[in-house]
Amino acid sequence: MNTDRIKLQMKRPIALACILAAALFAQAQNPKWFKKARKAQISIITFDENGQHLKSGNGFFISEDGTALANYQLFEDAASAKAVDNDGKEYQVNSIMGANSLYDVVKFKVVTEKKTNALSVSERAGAESEHVYIMPYPTSEKAICLNDTLKKIQKFNEQYHYYSLGREINEHYTNCPVMSDEGELLGMIQQPANSQSKTKAYAISANYGQSLSVNSLSATNSDLNAIKIPKALPDDENEASTFIYMASGSSDSTTYQQYLDEFIQKFPSNNNAYTQRADFYLAHGNYSKAEEDINAALEHSPNKAEVYYTISKMLYGLNLRKDYNVYKDWNMEKAGQMIDEAINLNHLPVYTFQAGQICYALKEYEKAFNLFIELTHTNMRSADMFLYAAQCKTMLKADTASILALQDSAVACFTKPYIKEAAPALMARANTKLAMERYREAVIDLNEYEKLMRNELNANFYYLREQAEMKGRLYQQAIDDIDRAIRMEPKEPLYHAERAVVYYTIGEFAEAIKSAQKATELAPDYTDGYRILGICQIYNKEREKGIANLQKAADLGDNTAREVLKQEIFQNAEQK
């Protein structure tokens, strides 16, 4: 009994000694800078658009302002994210500062009022065979650094480095910092190729992650757009402005507004930001907020004329909307007053053009005409200005000769072979020539139009040109065009009926009957089809069938068929 007690008492000191030795050994594993560096590590949780948990992982701060690095896959498809430091403090991720899916790195920033603990990124690349420490992941129960060695260093993008390390690690170490003996950050552990087992450790240089940024074209970057969290604006004002413009077409309204708000906070003297946000508010019906930004733009801008011009454009567009209920005095007249203010300060051609558009909208056609003609003597002289002037003359019911002269000037702004921009002028002139019964000249313009717009033409174009060709007695061209229209829309009865008319005109009644019958098959209640069919059958010596089809057209309400039927019956009675 005594012997056993002595043995037990001897075991206790030995066990205690082992525990103390293990603790001392653990402390010896960690360098002196470890405790401070440990505070820079964070756990990251990402969420989808419904607020559901997406992924969890690690990261670390590289700047006291809350800038951090993690792996790209952790943030892909995330709509929001939060970070938790070793003290349990939570931070909301508010912007993505750069991302690259190829190298699996994302740079982001959290919301913080105080400085965050951050790792110091080393300016040097490290050297092969250099001893390094791999810091434990934030949730690791054993807060012990792993000793390792830089086995191989490869350069990429000319100035950054990729490290192969010596030991095997598992996926929990993804994003863990690789530190030098001096406590400087060299790199971050990359995702293992096989997450189911331990693999050799690899790391990408922290300098690369630190270099990631957002620029003027980042709004269309696929890697950044795969992350739904808003992106940080570029620091350069011009680049930030371009980014905002690009983001307007690729971001949801909430994110776009966040960009505008951030831009104004960052560059408060930029009047464009206020007018852009005002335009955003107008689009969403928030007129009072838009009014605040308009006033702010006028207050902050040194170029008042440009602000008045922008306000005029916004009010002009607003008043063209059918669903717009006038807010205060924001009508089309107010848009005119704003552009007048701009012109009084700086008589630019672009301002005059805006004034012309407003006058046209207000049905002040003579005034609008004079403004558009004025622009033909400036650097804005173009086919469009002559076409706008011609349209004003049309609304004033001017003689077609004066309208045609303006359209001739529009076409004369181009030389043959015409470019696509000449198409509207050619079509406008063709329509005027048709109204003047100058059919063959109209067909020439339509032929030029076809060359420019061939891949965008529809069946209706060929139907319209066929009618011009018929009136110009260009029968073969008319046949070709109506056949094109039918090939494009074979189930449209109008085109088959028109084909029947063409063949009736040239005396080929059998072919005309086939087309007319097709029209009635496609539309059993189509009166034109029965009328044309009946007439063609009578001329083809199929009188009984013709009378029957004319009667059917008359029964369906076709007055022309009724008159033809009366004449046919009367003539037949006289012959008897």
Side-chain angles (χ1 to χ4, degrees):
M1 290 289 289
N2 293 336
T3 305
D4 291 339
R5 188 179 293 115
I6 292 168
K7 287 181 179 178
L8 183 59
Q9 289 174 348
M10 289 178 65
K11 285 182 179 178
R12 285 175 179 166
I14 292 171
L16 181 60
C18 289
I19 292 170
L20 290 171
L24 290 170
F25 179 73
Q27 291 176 7
Q29 287 282 353
N30 291 328
K32 61 183 181 181
W33 45 258
F34 173 74
K35 282 188 178 180
K36 183 179 179 181
R38 179 77 162 161
K39 292 181 179 180
Q41 287 186 277
I42 48 178
S43 296
I44 302 167
I45 307 168
T46 58
F47 304 90
D48 64 17
E49 291 175 316
N50 298 316
Q52 299 298 310
H53 174 258
L54 195 63
K55 295 173 186 175
S56 298
N58 314 314
F60 49 84
F61 291 118
I62 57 169
S63 174
E64 292 179 337
D65 65 358
T67 302
L69 297 180
N71 67 309
Y72 177 84
Q73 292 180 46
L74 178 60
F75 279 81
E76 191 172 18
D77 298 322
S80 63
K82 68 178 181 179
V84 184
D85 66 17
N86 277 323
D87 293 327
K89 183 176 180 180
E90 291 189 359
Y91 303 87
Q92 189 67 33
V93 175
N94 73 328
S95 62
I96 302 299
M97 304 181 73
N100 188 293
S101 62
L102 178 63
Y103 294 111
D104 197 24
V105 184
V106 64
K107 180 180 173 184
F108 61 96
K109 194 172 185 179
V110 303
V111 179
T112 179
E113 295 178 357
K114 296 181 179 180
K115 292 181 178 180
T116 56
N117 292 292
L119 301 178
S120 177
V121 180
S122 177
E123 294 182 0
R124 64 185 188 86
E128 290 189 0
S129 300
E130 178 181 344
H131 174 264
V132 293
Y133 293 96
I134 300 175
M135 290 187 65
Y137 48 93
T139 57
S140 174
E141 293 180 1
K142 296 179 180 179
I144 303 172
C145 287
L146 301 179
N147 287 281
D148 211 331
T149 305
L150 300 181
K151 293 293 184 182
K152 188 177 181 182
I153 302 176
Q154 294 174 292
K155 185 176 282 191
F156 70 95
N157 287 4
E158 297 185 359
Q159 55 183 319
Y160 306 114
H161 300 84
Y162 200 78
Y163 306 109
S164 299
L165 287 81
R167 67 186 304 149
E168 294 181 342
I169 58 170
N170 59 40
E171 63 177 341
H172 295 300
Y173 281 90
T174 300
N175 296 339
C176 283
V178 177
M179 310 289 289
S180 69
D181 281 332
E182 294 79 22
E184 289 188 323
L185 177 65
L186 291 173
M188 57 189 287
I189 296 294
Q190 294 269 272
Q191 180 90 26
N194 183 358
S195 61
Q196 302 302 316
S197 61
K198 288 187 175 182
T199 59
K200 290 290 184 183
Y202 298 93
I204 192 167
S205 65
N207 273 320
Y208 176 71
Q210 189 179 47
S211 73
L212 292 174
S213 64
V214 174
N215 58 38
S216 58
L217 301 178
S218 292
T220 58
N221 181 286
S222 58
D223 284 350
L224 285 168
N225 286 331
I227 303 172
K228 312 304 180 186
I229 299 170
K231 316 308 175 289
L233 290 183
D235 292 328
D236 179 81
E237 186 171 348
N238 290 329
E239 287 212 354
S241 183
T242 303
F243 177 91
I244 290 282
Y245 173 77
M246 300 292 285
S248 64
S250 60
S251 304
D252 60 82
S253 59
T254 302
T255 302
Y256 180 57
Q257 184 179 349
Q258 288 177 353
Y259 289 147
L260 290 170
D261 292 345
E262 184 183 346
F263 188 94
I264 288 173
Q265 290 173 4
K266 206 166 186 176
F267 310 106
S269 61
N270 188 308
N271 67 285
N272 289 331
Y274 293 103
T275 52
Q276 276 182 284
R277 193 168 66 178
D279 197 36
F280 171 83
Y281 285 137
L282 288 179
H284 291 80
N286 196 340
Y287 303 133
S288 60
K289 281 286 189 183
E291 188 174 20
E292 289 177 13
D293 276 344
I294 284 172
N295 293 334
L298 284 168
E299 179 185 347
H300 287 89
S301 175
N303 188 351
K304 296 290 189 292
E306 191 66 15
V307 178
Y308 283 125
Y309 166 62
T310 303
I311 295 170
S312 176
K313 285 202 301 180
M314 288 193 293
L315 296 183
Y316 171 75
L318 193 62
N319 280 274
L320 290 179
R321 282 170 38 181
K322 292 181 180 179
D323 62 342
Y324 173 57
N325 294 317
V326 178
Y327 171 76
K328 293 187 176 181
D329 63 342
W330 286 11
N331 50 27
M332 193 63 80
E333 287 78 5
K334 180 72 171 181
Q337 292 170 19
M338 292 293 98
I339 200 60
D340 287 344
E341 292 283 359
I343 291 172
N344 288 337
L345 291 170
N346 193 0
H347 199 150
L348 294 177
V350 68
Y351 298 169
T352 301
F353 177 63
Q354 174 68 10
Q357 287 185 302
I358 292 170
C359 288
Y360 187 89
L362 291 170
K363 298 182 180 181
E364 297 174 358
Y365 302 123
E366 190 66 43
K367 187 175 179 181
F369 170 79
N370 291 330
L371 290 169
F372 292 134
I373 288 298
E374 177 187 329
L375 287 168
T376 64
H377 302 290
T378 71
N379 59 2
M380 286 189 69
R381 177 187 174 89
S382 66
D384 286 343
M385 295 307 132
F386 286 108
L387 291 179
Y388 289 134
Q391 184 60 26
C392 291
K393 283 293 186 183
T394 300
M395 300 307 293
L396 289 166
K397 301 187 184 307
D399 63 282
T400 51
S402 64
I403 294 170
L404 182 62
L406 290 166
Q407 292 168 341
D408 284 340
S409 295
V411 175
C413 290
F414 306 95
T415 56
K416 287 188 176 182
Y418 294 125
I419 58 175
K420 194 172 183 179
E421 285 71 16
L426 289 164
M427 177 57 77
R429 189 170 71 174
N431 285 327
T432 301
K433 287 177 177 178
L434 287 172
M436 298 174 75
E437 299 183 359
R438 292 162 63 170
Y439 301 118
R440 293 201 172 200
E441 291 180 35
V443 169
I444 292 172
D445 279 347
L446 291 173
N447 291 343
E448 292 290 347
Y449 182 87
E450 181 194 28
K451 292 176 187 176
L452 302 176
M453 306 295 291
R454 186 177 298 276
N455 295 329
E456 301 173 38
L457 297 175
N458 56 25
N460 188 57
F461 167 80
Y462 290 106
Y463 167 68
L464 292 174
R465 189 171 68 175
E466 172 268 332
Q467 291 193 311
E469 289 160 340
M470 282 291 290
K471 291 174 181 176
R473 300 176 183 271
L474 301 169
Y475 298 122
Q476 186 55 55
Q477 291 96 313
I479 291 170
D480 293 341
D481 274 348
I482 200 61
D483 283 345
R484 283 193 189 97
I486 289 172
R487 285 197 297 272
M488 295 175 84
E489 289 188 31
K491 294 184 179 181
E492 174 51 61
L494 170 64
Y495 300 152
H496 292 280
E498 185 65 24
R499 186 175 188 274
V501 170
V502 175
Y503 278 102
Y504 165 81
T505 303
I506 61 176
E508 295 190 20
F509 303 122
E511 193 66 28
I513 289 169
K514 282 170 57 178
S515 291
Q517 286 174 332
K518 184 65 177 178
T520 59
E521 288 172 14
L522 290 169
D525 294 331
Y526 185 42
T527 59
D528 286 358
Y530 290 110
R531 173 169 29 85
I532 295 165
L533 176 59
I535 292 171
C536 290
Q537 286 173 326
I538 289 172
Y539 274 87
N540 201 44
K541 299 180 180 179
E542 300 176 52
R543 188 172 182 280
E544 289 186 9
K545 290 181 180 179
I547 293 294
N549 281 307
L550 283 170
Q551 185 62 58
K552 192 161 189 177
D555 292 343
L556 288 169
D558 191 316
N559 291 327
T560 303
R562 193 174 287 113
E563 290 299 318
V564 173
L565 195 59
K566 286 180 182 178
Q567 291 177 11
E568 181 61 27
I569 293 172
F570 178 76
Q571 289 176 1
N572 188 58
E574 279 191 333
Q575 289 174 1
K576 288 182 178 179

